[in-house]
Structure formats: C-alpha cells, structure tokens
C-alpha cells in the first residue's frame, strides 16, 4: 500500500470525530444564540471542508485520476492557502479572549493574515512553477523554499501557542484565577502534539515521491483543528465552573471578539 493511501485513510478516520465535535459545538451555539452567523463556527466548518476537498483531490491526483495541470496546481495551492490562514486565525481568536486591548487583538489578526498571505503568494509563484516544470531552477528554488515555508508555519504555530500560555499564566493564573491551571497544563501538552505535526511535514519532504507529503497536510491540519475544538470545550467548562460566568465560551466570547 502506498504511503499516501495510508495518510488518506488516517485523515478519513480523524474526520469523523472532528466533524462530530464541530457539529455538537455548532448546535450548542445555535441553540444559545439562535443564529448560525458565528465567526468561530464558520472558520471551523470552512477548515473541515477545505481539508476534505484537499485530501480527496490530492488522493485522486496521486492515483492518476486527476492529471497535472495549471488549474489543478492552482486549486491545490488555494486550498492549502485557506488551510494555513484559517487555523492560525482560530488560535488567534482564542488568544484575543485573554487580551485586554481589543485593538491589539485585531492588529494581531491582521499582522498574521498579512504575513501568512505573503508566504501564500510566494508559494503560488514558486511551487506552481516548479511543478509545471518550467525550469530546473524553479525546482531547486522550490526544494529550498518548501523547507523554509514549513519551518515558518512551525514557528507561527509554536509562537501563537506559547503566547497563549504566557497570557494564561501571567494574566489569569497570576491574578488568582487558579482554575485556569488545568487549561494551562492541557495547552502545554497540545503544544507538543501540534508542533510535531509541522515537524512531520518537514520530515516528509524527504520522501522518495516529493508529492506524497501533500497528502499528509490535511491530516496535520485536521489534528490541529481537533485540538482547537477540544480547547473550546475545556475553556467552556472552566468558565462555567465560576459562579459569575455562564454559557459556552465558544458561543458567547467568539461573538464578542469578532
């Protein structure tokens, strides 16, 4: 069995529990707010759909059912760009809940949108040119840039999660809100899991077939999304444990922060 088929099977296995958890949270939000117009919900489902389409089209391509073309490569990069934009925004949305200055929270979202967007644009140019076989120079540049780009997203993911840890530790726990210690410890654990996905993506660039790693990208991002869904549930439980707060964190706070 080809390794990309294994990756595809793993993705499908992870898609079910992730979609189930997303459905539960969506229902909870709709029940409380009587509306589905929630930024958090939209980002979660868009990430799920993008990952599914990306996984299926990549699998079909690697099986030869989709032929190489500019349209396919452009579509693949577009799906990847959406994938890499949405998840950091979900993490930043989580971070913004703890930030006192809302202007800084909005600035953080825009800064990362622009930074990631710049990398996305570079991949449109370099990656597509390399896979279209325009020249050996593009192939060489792409081999180098892919590693730089994967390292960039590793740093982004790690940096955002560490910043969240810092805020929880010094904005909440340090001010006597010790109930958030559980959240702090959980986030410490998920930092290792999330970062390991980026490390695996980097390592898979060395596979004999240089395109096989693309099939792993939906696996990595569906795992990251599942982590975020679990974080939402945990934060909601911690918030509800206080007598002065009620309701779901992901239904109330995400409306406030956007």
């Amino acid at each position: 069995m080809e390794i990309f088929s294994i990756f595809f099977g793993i993705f499908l296995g992870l898609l079910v529990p992730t979609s189930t958890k997303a459905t539960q949270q969506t229902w909870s939000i709709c029940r409380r707010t009587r509306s589905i117009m929630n930024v958090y919900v939209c980002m979660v489902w868009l990430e799920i759909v993008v990952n599914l389409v990306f996984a299926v089209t990549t699998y079909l391509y690697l099986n030869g059912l989709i032929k190489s073309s500019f349209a396919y490569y452009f579509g693949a990069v577009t799906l990847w760009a959406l994938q890499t934009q949405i998840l950091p925004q979900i993490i930043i949305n989580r971070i913004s809940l703890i930030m006192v200055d809302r202007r800084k929270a909005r600035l953080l979202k825009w800064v990362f949108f622009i930074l990631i967007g710049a990398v996305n644009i570079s991949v449109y140019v370099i990656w597509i040119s390399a896979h279209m076989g325009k020249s050996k120079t593009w192939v060489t540049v792409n081999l180098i840039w892919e590693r730089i780009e994967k390292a960039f997203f590793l740093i982004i993911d790690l940096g955002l999660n560490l910043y969240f840890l810092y805020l929880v530790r010094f904005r909440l726990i340090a001010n006597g809100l010790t109930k958030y210690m559980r959240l702090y410890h959980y986030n410490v654990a998920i930092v290792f899991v999330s970062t390991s996905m980026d490390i695996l993506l980097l390592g898979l660039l060395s596979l004999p077939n240089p395109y096989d790693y693309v099939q792993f990208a939906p696996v990595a991002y569906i795992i990251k999304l599942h982590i975020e869904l679990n974080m939402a549930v945990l934060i909601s439980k911690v918030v509800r444990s206080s007598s002065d707060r009620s309701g779901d964190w992901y239904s109330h706070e995400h409306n406030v922060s956007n």
Side-chain angles (χ1 to χ4, degrees):
M1 182 180 290
E2 297 285 352
I3 191 168
F4 66 82
S5 296
I6 296 173
F7 291 157
F8 185 61
I10 293 172
F11 170 79
L12 293 178
L14 292 168
L15 180 65
V16 175
T18 303
S19 298
T20 300
K21 192 171 287 290
T23 301
Q24 291 170 345
Q25 291 188 14
T26 302
W27 171 249
S28 178
I29 291 170
C30 290
R31 187 179 58 188
R32 290 180 179 277
T33 65
R34 300 186 184 279
S35 173
I36 60 172
M37 298 307 294
N38 180 279
V39 175
Y40 171 74
V41 169
C42 291
M43 288 195 295
V44 166
W45 281 107
L46 184 56
E47 183 75 8
I48 289 173
V49 171
V50 166
N51 274 286
L52 177 59
V53 175
F54 195 14
V56 171
T57 53
T58 302
Y59 184 71
L60 293 175
Y61 172 79
L62 288 169
N63 275 292
L65 298 175
I66 294 179
K67 303 301 180 183
S68 298
S69 66
F70 175 80
Y72 168 73
Y73 291 133
F74 186 87
V77 175
T78 300
L79 290 169
W80 167 82
L82 287 170
Q83 193 182 56
T84 56
Q85 280 284 358
I86 298 167
L87 197 72
Q89 290 299 325
I90 292 175
I91 299 174
I92 293 169
N93 216 41
R94 164 162 54 94
I95 292 171
S96 69
L97 302 178
I98 308 175
M99 297 179 71
V100 177
D101 191 332
R102 290 298 176 189
R103 288 184 301 175
K104 287 184 178 180
R106 286 193 293 271
L107 178 62
L108 186 67
K109 293 178 182 181
W110 279 107
V111 166
F112 277 89
F113 174 77
I114 293 169
L115 284 175
I116 294 172
V119 174
N120 292 153
I121 292 170
S122 72
V123 172
Y124 271 105
V125 176
I126 298 171
W127 193 85
I128 293 177
S129 297
H131 283 82
M132 290 296 293
K134 288 190 173 183
S135 70
K136 290 183 178 179
T137 301
W138 281 113
V139 174
T140 302
V141 171
N142 184 59
L143 287 173
I144 298 170
W145 185 243
E146 276 189 316
R147 285 161 175 77
I148 295 173
E149 166 249 310
K150 295 295 182 291
F152 168 79
F153 284 108
L154 188 157
I155 293 169
I156 289 288
D157 187 88
L158 180 61
L160 288 174
N161 277 298
L162 288 178
Y163 186 48
F164 180 75
L165 281 172
Y166 168 80
L167 291 175
V168 171
R169 181 68 182 85
F170 294 101
R171 291 282 176 84
L172 300 177
I173 298 172
N175 288 318
L177 296 174
T178 55
K179 65 178 182 177
Y180 286 96
M181 188 62 75
R182 179 184 174 191
L183 176 64
Y184 178 82
H185 289 310
Y186 178 78
N187 205 75
V188 168
I190 65 104
V191 165
F192 289 101
V193 177
S194 185
T195 304
S196 68
M197 294 299 103
D198 294 302
I199 294 172
L200 277 171
L201 275 171
L202 260 172
L204 291 172
L205 289 172
S206 301
L207 287 172
N209 182 348
Y211 205 92
D212 281 349
Y213 85 90
V214 178
Q215 189 71 70
F216 184 75
V219 176
Y221 278 85
I222 204 71
I223 289 174
K224 288 170 179 279
L225 179 61
H226 194 82
I227 287 171
E228 289 305 312
L229 292 170
N230 282 331
M231 283 289 292
V233 172
L234 179 57
I235 295 173
S236 180
K237 288 179 179 178
V238 172
V239 168
R240 287 202 304 267
S241 69
S242 175
S243 59
D244 62 340
R245 293 290 298 273
S246 62
D248 286 331
W249 163 79
Y250 46 78
S251 65
H252 173 67
E253 296 290 359
H254 277 84
N255 280 326
V256 172
S257 63
N258 286 282

